[in-house]
Amino acid sequence: MSETLTGKNALVTGATSGIGRATAQVLAGQGAHVVVSGRDTSRGEKAVAEIRAAGGKADFVRADLNGAAGARELARAATRITGGIDILVNNAGIYPFVATGDTSEEVFDEVYDVNVKGPFFLTAELIPAMAAKGAGLVVNIGTVAARKGITGATAYTSSKAAVDQLTRIWAAEYGPSGVRVNAVLPGIIETEGVQTALGDERGPFLAITPAGRVGRPEEIAAAVAYLASDSAAFVNGAFLTVDGGASAL
Ligand SMILES: NC(=O)c1ccc[n+]([C@@H]2O[C@H](COP(=O)([O-])OP(=O)(O)OC[C@H]3O[C@@H](n4cnc5c(N)ncnc54)[C@H](OP(=O)(O)O)[C@@H]3O)[C@@H](O)[C@H]2O)c1
């Protein structure tokens, strides 16, 4: 793999699992120094060890991103370790499959804390330094489900719709300072989180995915890597769907 990100520092949240771990691996494979974050220290250290074994540079910072305090602490630790974050991937997220009438206030708050407040305050802490430097990239991991009336995960899909709006606002707010803010919108991707949420059932998702298969975490990581590349220098405020055609239906 070409080392196009040598000299860049990246922070990937939710990098102890699934899409985030694959993204951390791909960015490190392209030469970035990657801060791997999540709550689970053993999974985080394993992810770091895999990157280092492949010749990459990575460190783990444990963080609970369920609100502003954890996000701010993570931002400071990642900045301390690397000297400054150039690429932030807001990937950590939870997606309980709960219908509107069954959603408790506790579940609602947890979903919005992790999926909206966490990335909001993490970005708010890191993006001013990118703007001051005149360069930087934020990638928000959303979902194609936030653009459809798919029922059964109301708090989740609405929280990701809020993140879509943050992508637009930040792209407009920080674009003039040389910072690009984009989103990758995955369809169904095979991860530990999906396995926990769905068990072995994939049928309903395959029915709405023209590709006829679930995606792989590496396929989302590749989209993030494109956004981080010089080829995407004019791409700001974009929503890149990687969903096997699901959003075409
Ligand atoms: N897989 C899909 O089909 C799919 C589709 C569309 C969008 N997405 C989005 O893609 C992202 C990753 O999904 P995934 O399937 O890879 O999920 P996953 O396998 O469940 O991994 C989720 C990651 O988020 C971290 N996380 C969860 N709660 C956290 C908290 N309170 N503080 C800090 N980190 C936390 C987890 O780390 P710890 O456990 O170590 O805390 C883990 O690394 C999510 O935003 C999800 O909504 C996924």
Side-chain angles (χ1 to χ4, degrees):
M1 200 174 272
S2 63
E3 302 220 333
T4 49
L5 298 179
T6 300
K8 304 271 192 223
N9 302 317
L11 167 59
V12 182
T13 68
T16 57
S17 178
I19 291 169
R21 186 178 53 223
T23 300
Q25 284 169 346
V26 167
L27 296 182
Q30 297 192 348
H33 178 184
V34 179
V35 176
V36 166
S37 188
R39 292 163 304 174
D40 187 322
T41 302
S42 68
R43 286 201 299 175
E45 284 175 350
K46 187 163 178 271
V48 165
E50 284 166 3
I51 289 171
R52 289 180 181 165
K57 202 169 171 193
D59 290 284
F60 175 67
V61 176
R62 188 192 178 281
D64 192 337
L65 292 177
N66 62 353
R72 289 188 179 123
E73 266 176 47
L74 171 60
R76 288 172 198 148
T79 301
R80 212 168 35 243
I81 289 170
T82 59
I85 294 297
D86 304 292
I87 300 165
L88 167 63
V89 184
N90 284 314
N91 165 76
I94 54 173
Y95 39 87
F97 284 80
V98 189
T100 306
D102 298 325
T103 303
S104 65
E105 186 175 1
E106 191 185 20
V107 165
F108 183 94
D109 285 347
E110 194 187 358
V111 168
Y112 271 73
D113 282 351
V114 177
N115 293 0
V116 184
K117 267 177 105 173
F120 183 96
F121 286 102
L122 187 58
T123 304
E125 192 75 22
L126 290 171
I127 207 168
M130 295 181 189
K133 204 172 157 186
L137 173 71
V138 178
V139 180
N140 293 326
I141 306 298
T143 173
V144 290
R147 301 189 155 197
K148 294 168 176 272
I150 292 173
T151 59
T154 320
Y156 168 59
T157 56
S158 64
S159 74
K160 289 294 191 180
V163 174
D164 282 359
Q165 184 61 1
L166 293 177
T167 301
R168 287 185 196 94
I169 294 168
W170 290 335
E173 192 173 1
Y174 292 99
S177 305
V179 181
R180 295 182 296 112
V181 183
N182 295 290
V184 175
L185 308 182
I188 180 79
I189 307 297
E190 194 64 54
T191 65
E192 291 94 317
V194 159
Q195 181 62 32
T196 302
L198 301 180
D200 292 331
E201 179 60 270
R202 302 286 180 273
F205 291 93
L206 295 181
I208 56 165
T209 304
R213 67 169 176 86
V214 297
R216 295 186 294 275
E218 298 73 30
E219 292 173 313
I220 304 304
V224 176
Y226 160 67
L227 291 169
S229 72
D230 287 345
S231 304
F234 200 52
V235 181
N236 186 30
F239 294 85
L240 181 48
T241 57
V242 184
D243 64 356
S247 54
L249 298 182

